[in-house]
mmCIF file of all heavy atoms in Angstrom:
data_model
loop_
_atom_site.group_PDB
_atom_site.id
_atom_site.type_symbol
_atom_site.label_atom_id
_atom_site.label_comp_id
_atom_site.label_asym_id
_atom_site.label_seq_id
_atom_site.Cartn_x
_atom_site.Cartn_y
_atom_site.Cartn_z
ATOM 1 N N GLU F 367 48.474 38.029 -33.335
ATOM 2 C CA GLU F 367 49.827 38.330 -33.849
ATOM 3 C C GLU F 367 50.575 37.119 -34.373
ATOM 4 O O GLU F 367 51.370 37.210 -35.236
ATOM 5 C CB GLU F 367 50.617 38.985 -32.758
ATOM 6 C CG GLU F 367 50.137 40.326 -32.335
ATOM 7 C CD GLU F 367 50.269 41.377 -33.503
ATOM 8 O OE1 GLU F 367 51.059 41.191 -34.350
ATOM 9 O OE2 GLU F 367 49.439 42.313 -33.488
ATOM 10 N N ASP F 368 50.190 35.908 -33.810
ATOM 11 C CA ASP F 368 50.814 34.675 -34.310
ATOM 12 C C ASP F 368 50.403 34.458 -35.790
ATOM 13 O O ASP F 368 51.255 34.092 -36.640
ATOM 14 C CB ASP F 368 50.408 33.451 -33.516
ATOM 15 C CG ASP F 368 50.816 33.545 -32.107
ATOM 16 O OD1 ASP F 368 52.123 33.473 -31.810
ATOM 17 O OD2 ASP F 368 49.991 33.661 -31.145
ATOM 18 N N ILE F 369 49.132 34.645 -36.026
ATOM 19 C CA ILE F 369 48.572 34.466 -37.412
ATOM 20 C C ILE F 369 49.246 35.437 -38.353
ATOM 21 O O ILE F 369 49.599 35.073 -39.426
ATOM 22 C CB ILE F 369 47.044 34.616 -37.428
ATOM 23 C CG1 ILE F 369 46.357 33.472 -36.595
ATOM 24 C CG2 ILE F 369 46.524 34.576 -38.797
ATOM 25 C CD1 ILE F 369 44.912 33.708 -36.339
ATOM 26 N N LYS F 370 49.426 36.655 -37.868
ATOM 27 C CA LYS F 370 49.985 37.680 -38.746
ATOM 28 C C LYS F 370 51.405 37.350 -39.047
ATOM 29 O O LYS F 370 51.871 37.467 -40.272
ATOM 30 C CB LYS F 370 49.862 39.102 -38.073
ATOM 31 C CG LYS F 370 50.153 40.306 -38.967
ATOM 32 C CD LYS F 370 49.621 41.532 -38.430
ATOM 33 C CE LYS F 370 50.419 42.055 -37.250
ATOM 34 N NZ LYS F 370 50.089 43.414 -36.874
ATOM 35 N N VAL F 371 52.249 36.940 -38.113
ATOM 36 C CA VAL F 371 53.627 36.650 -38.360
ATOM 37 C C VAL F 371 53.787 35.439 -39.198
ATOM 38 O O VAL F 371 54.576 35.378 -40.192
ATOM 39 C CB VAL F 371 54.349 36.443 -37.035
ATOM 40 C CG1 VAL F 371 55.712 35.873 -37.211
ATOM 41 C CG2 VAL F 371 54.471 37.787 -36.256
ATOM 42 N N PHE F 372 53.023 34.416 -38.936
ATOM 43 C CA PHE F 372 53.113 33.144 -39.702
ATOM 44 C C PHE F 372 52.709 33.380 -41.215
ATOM 45 O O PHE F 372 53.349 32.828 -42.124
ATOM 46 C CB PHE F 372 52.144 32.061 -39.070
ATOM 47 C CG PHE F 372 52.460 30.660 -39.510
ATOM 48 C CD1 PHE F 372 53.457 29.964 -38.882
ATOM 49 C CD2 PHE F 372 51.739 29.999 -40.516
ATOM 50 C CE1 PHE F 372 53.710 28.564 -39.247
ATOM 51 C CE2 PHE F 372 52.030 28.763 -40.823
ATOM 52 C CZ PHE F 372 53.006 28.103 -40.263
ATOM 53 N N THR F 373 51.706 34.131 -41.319
ATOM 54 C CA THR F 373 51.185 34.492 -42.739
ATOM 55 C C THR F 373 52.315 35.304 -43.439
ATOM 56 O O THR F 373 52.554 35.092 -44.594
ATOM 57 C CB THR F 373 49.919 35.210 -42.737
ATOM 58 O OG1 THR F 373 48.916 34.469 -41.999
ATOM 59 C CG2 THR F 373 49.372 35.481 -44.121
ATOM 60 N N SER F 374 52.966 36.169 -42.765
ATOM 61 C CA SER F 374 54.029 37.016 -43.317
ATOM 62 C C SER F 374 55.220 36.172 -43.794
ATOM 63 O O SER F 374 55.779 36.434 -44.838
ATOM 64 C CB SER F 374 54.470 38.072 -42.305
ATOM 65 O OG SER F 374 53.465 38.997 -41.981
ATOM 66 N N ILE F 375 55.480 35.116 -42.982
ATOM 67 C CA ILE F 375 56.663 34.232 -43.345
ATOM 68 C C ILE F 375 56.341 33.449 -44.651
ATOM 69 O O ILE F 375 57.191 33.363 -45.530
ATOM 70 C CB ILE F 375 56.955 33.211 -42.233
ATOM 71 C CG1 ILE F 375 57.439 34.059 -40.970
ATOM 72 C CG2 ILE F 375 57.976 32.240 -42.664
ATOM 73 C CD1 ILE F 375 57.574 33.150 -39.745
ATOM 74 N N LEU F 376 55.143 33.001 -44.814
ATOM 75 C CA LEU F 376 54.756 32.167 -45.959
ATOM 76 C C LEU F 376 54.339 32.982 -47.142
ATOM 77 O O LEU F 376 54.439 32.576 -48.263
ATOM 78 C CB LEU F 376 53.683 31.155 -45.534
ATOM 79 C CG LEU F 376 54.154 30.009 -44.656
ATOM 80 C CD1 LEU F 376 52.912 29.278 -44.067
ATOM 81 C CD2 LEU F 376 55.065 29.055 -45.371
ATOM 82 N N ASN F 377 53.839 34.210 -46.847
ATOM 83 C CA ASN F 377 53.461 35.098 -47.915
ATOM 84 C C ASN F 377 52.576 34.435 -48.998
ATOM 85 O O ASN F 377 52.895 34.454 -50.181
ATOM 86 C CB ASN F 377 54.676 35.725 -48.585
ATOM 87 C CG ASN F 377 54.377 36.925 -49.529
ATOM 88 O OD1 ASN F 377 53.316 37.599 -49.302
ATOM 89 N ND2 ASN F 377 55.164 37.110 -50.489
ATOM 90 N N PRO F 378 51.406 33.842 -48.587
ATOM 91 C CA PRO F 378 50.572 33.168 -49.506
ATOM 92 C C PRO F 378 49.771 34.179 -50.378
ATOM 93 O O PRO F 378 49.474 35.274 -50.015
ATOM 94 C CB PRO F 378 49.631 32.349 -48.618
ATOM 95 C CG PRO F 378 49.501 33.263 -47.442
ATOM 96 C CD PRO F 378 50.828 33.922 -47.243
ATOM 97 N N LYS F 379 49.365 33.687 -51.526
ATOM 98 C CA LYS F 379 48.389 34.480 -52.364
ATOM 99 C C LYS F 379 46.997 34.368 -51.785
ATOM 100 O O LYS F 379 46.311 35.347 -51.764
ATOM 101 C CB LYS F 379 48.360 33.944 -53.821
ATOM 102 C CG LYS F 379 47.508 34.713 -54.771
ATOM 103 C CD LYS F 379 47.597 34.240 -56.274
ATOM 104 C CE LYS F 379 46.805 35.101 -57.128
ATOM 105 N NZ LYS F 379 46.893 34.655 -58.550
ATOM 106 N N TYR F 380 46.577 33.213 -51.330
ATOM 107 C CA TYR F 380 45.262 33.052 -50.820
ATOM 108 C C TYR F 380 45.274 32.625 -49.294
ATOM 109 O O TYR F 380 46.314 32.013 -48.888
ATOM 110 C CB TYR F 380 44.499 31.948 -51.547
ATOM 111 C CG TYR F 380 44.411 32.211 -53.045
ATOM 112 C CD1 TYR F 380 44.817 31.260 -53.934
ATOM 113 C CD2 TYR F 380 43.841 33.383 -53.591
ATOM 114 C CE1 TYR F 380 44.813 31.405 -55.282
ATOM 115 C CE2 TYR F 380 43.817 33.631 -54.946
ATOM 116 C CZ TYR F 380 44.245 32.632 -55.805
ATOM 117 O OH TYR F 380 44.308 32.862 -57.143
ATOM 118 N N PHE F 381 44.262 32.905 -48.572
ATOM 119 C CA PHE F 381 44.231 32.562 -47.120
ATOM 120 C C PHE F 381 42.859 32.027 -46.786
ATOM 121 O O PHE F 381 41.827 32.624 -47.125
ATOM 122 C CB PHE F 381 44.549 33.859 -46.297
ATOM 123 C CG PHE F 381 44.581 33.685 -44.777
ATOM 124 C CD1 PHE F 381 45.685 33.135 -44.181
ATOM 125 C CD2 PHE F 381 43.417 33.856 -44.018
ATOM 126 C CE1 PHE F 381 45.684 32.955 -42.767
ATOM 127 C CE2 PHE F 381 43.432 33.660 -42.671
ATOM 128 C CZ PHE F 381 44.571 33.227 -42.023
#
Side-chain angles (χ1 to χ4, degrees):
E367 293 297 332
D368 297 293
I369 295 171
K370 192 162 73 171
V371 170
F372 198 83
T373 305
S374 297
I375 295 172
L376 288 169
N377 191 27
K379 182 174 182 180
Y380 307 122
F381 180 84

